[in-house]
């Protein structure tokens, strides 16, 4: 099972753990308790039950399955991620820890134009090499200036919690993310979606592959029900 995937330039998703060990059996048994039933192995009818639960949005049995991830991503991705409230988080503290010099710089094809109007936005890649070069040098220039200012303040003995204020949201952070399969499907439906920001979508894709490895029947049923979280 793949447990770690590199994402963007310095980022990663690590599946630290999941539980219980026979996770889909737990989902099925917590649904079957309604009829005082219990099974010891997953049969064809149990896979159908998982599909039924997804289709009819009986979500609570999926709360029995839990996932623990370690995420390394830019702060602007974290800002979007932490809006998902049905989860537990612990993040590296830039009050106590000096941040590493790791800034996200989008690659040429990932620097994009916004086209369209409110409610119907589209993003388009940029062919104009001059614009790409300008953007790239702006990123580098701002990152260098911000990093130098951060280091200068730390050298003067200024507290990390103050010095960090000059750093841009492209700098990397890391956090632990614990959630259950129901909330994870909600995250995937919103963030592994063409309308989601490209950068967070790369993380959601990595997570979705891991979700499939751990809960293949649930994941298949999620897709079959139009990627709607129960
Ligand atoms: C493409 C995109 C654009 C976005 N743009 C913006 C934006 O411009 N500004 C902005 O502020 N946010 C924006 N968001 C964030 C969005 O509004 C949600 O905060 C975020 O996606 C988390 O979704 P959630 O509430 O379903 O997840 P969670 O917080 O994990 O909640 C999961 C589910 O639990 C239930 N729930 C949780 N809390 C409550 C509650 N208090 N009351 C009732 N039910 C609850 C809901 O059913 C919810 O769907 C955007 C998200 C996406 C995907």
């Amino acid at each position: 099972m793949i447990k770690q995937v590199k994402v963007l330039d310095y980022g990663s998703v690590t599946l630290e753990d999941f539980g219980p060990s026979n996770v889909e059996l737990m989902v099925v048994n917590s649904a079957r308790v309604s009829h005082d039933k219990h099974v010891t192995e997953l049969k064809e009818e149990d896979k159908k039950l998982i599909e039924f639960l997804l289709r009819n949005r009986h979500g609570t049995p999926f709360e029995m399955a839990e996932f623990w991830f370690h995420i390394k991503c830019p702060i602007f991705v974290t800002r979007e991620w932490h809006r998902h409230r049905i989860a537990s988080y612990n993040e590296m503290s830039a009050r106590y820890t000096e941040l590493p010099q790791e800034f996200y710089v989008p690659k040429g094809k990932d620097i994009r134009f916004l086209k369209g109007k409110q409610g119907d936005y589209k993003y388009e890649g940029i062919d104009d090499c001059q614009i790409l070069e300008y953007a790239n040098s702006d990123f580098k220039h701002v990152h260098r200036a911000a990093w130098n200012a951060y280091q200068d303040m730390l050298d003067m003995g200024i507290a990390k919690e103050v010095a960090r204020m000059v750093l841009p949201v492209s700098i990397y952070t890391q956090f632990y993310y614990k959630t259950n399969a129901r909330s994870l499907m909600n995250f995937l439906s919103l963030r592994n979606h063409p309308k989601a920001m490209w950068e967070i979508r790369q993380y959601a894709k990595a997570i979705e592959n891991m979700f499939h490895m751990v809960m293949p029947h649930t994941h298949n049923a999620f897709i079959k029900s139009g990627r709607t979280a129960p």
Side-chain angles (χ1 to χ4, degrees):
M1 185 183 294
I2 297 164
K3 291 216 158 178
Q4 190 177 60
V5 176
K6 300 273 170 221
V7 187
L8 307 182
D9 41 9
Y10 297 105
S12 58
V13 170
T14 309
L15 175 61
E16 292 281 339
D17 210 348
F18 61 87
S21 52
N22 205 339
V23 68
E24 292 196 304
L25 200 58
M26 177 59 94
V27 169
V28 164
N29 278 328
S30 59
R32 291 212 183 280
V33 76
S34 308
H35 297 97
D36 193 21
K37 293 265 161 54
H38 183 268
V39 293
T40 50
E41 59 178 310
L42 217 59
K43 296 205 173 113
E44 212 44 50
E45 67 226 42
D46 299 309
K47 295 173 194 166
K48 293 221 165 68
L49 173 62
I50 289 175
E51 285 183 13
F52 171 86
L53 296 173
L54 253 300
R55 199 169 52 246
N56 292 286
R57 304 195 67 200
H58 294 308
T60 47
F62 298 102
E63 294 174 18
M64 299 292 163
E66 302 222 292
F67 290 80
W68 288 257
F69 295 99
H70 175 267
I71 309 295
K72 188 174 170 198
C73 66
I75 284 178
F76 69 87
V77 171
T78 310
R79 290 271 286 116
E80 294 193 353
W81 206 310
H82 288 192
R83 296 302 308 280
H84 293 264
R85 295 156 289 178
I86 311 302
S88 303
Y89 298 98
N90 275 107
E91 186 178 1
M92 178 169 75
S93 168
R95 291 185 66 199
Y96 310 128
T97 308
E98 187 180 326
L99 292 177
Q101 190 181 5
E102 292 174 331
F103 297 92
Y104 169 61
V105 179
K107 298 224 165 49
K109 66 178 176 48
D110 305 325
I111 299 175
R112 53 228 180 229
F113 285 135
L114 172 65
K115 294 278 164 92
K117 53 182 176 8
Q118 201 177 337
D120 188 25
Y121 291 129
K122 286 186 185 61
Y123 294 90
E124 276 178 17
I126 300 173
D127 294 331
D128 187 327
C129 295
Q130 212 175 4
I131 294 182
L132 292 175
E133 260 172 51
Y134 272 127
N136 208 26
S137 99
D138 279 347
F139 272 112
K140 289 201 171 134
H141 167 74
V142 168
H143 290 165
R144 198 178 311 116
W147 184 255
N148 288 342
Y150 181 57
Q151 289 298 315
D152 284 348
M153 281 194 248
L154 294 179
D155 289 348
M156 286 185 267
I158 293 174
K160 296 181 189 79
E161 66 181 21
V162 176
R164 68 169 169 180
M165 293 175 196
V166 296
L167 295 172
V169 291
S170 53
I171 199 161
Y172 275 80
T173 182
Q174 48 172 297
F175 61 89
Y176 279 89
Y177 166 52
K178 191 207 89 173
T179 194
N180 63 56
R182 184 185 193 182
S183 181
L184 193 65
M185 284 187 270
N186 182 56
F187 175 83
L188 296 175
S189 73
L190 293 167
R191 302 301 183 178
N192 189 5
H193 186 280
K195 293 229 185 280
M197 189 177 187
W198 185 85
E199 282 79 5
I200 197 169
R201 195 171 179 199
Q202 306 317 302
Y203 286 88
K205 277 184 187 169
I207 287 198
E208 185 151 350
N209 288 334
M210 290 168 176
F211 178 51
H212 181 83
M213 287 187 291
V214 176
M215 300 184 76
H217 307 301
T218 307
H219 181 244
N220 291 342
F222 167 64
I223 291 174
K224 237 176 160 174
S225 342
R227 303 179 64 79
T228 305

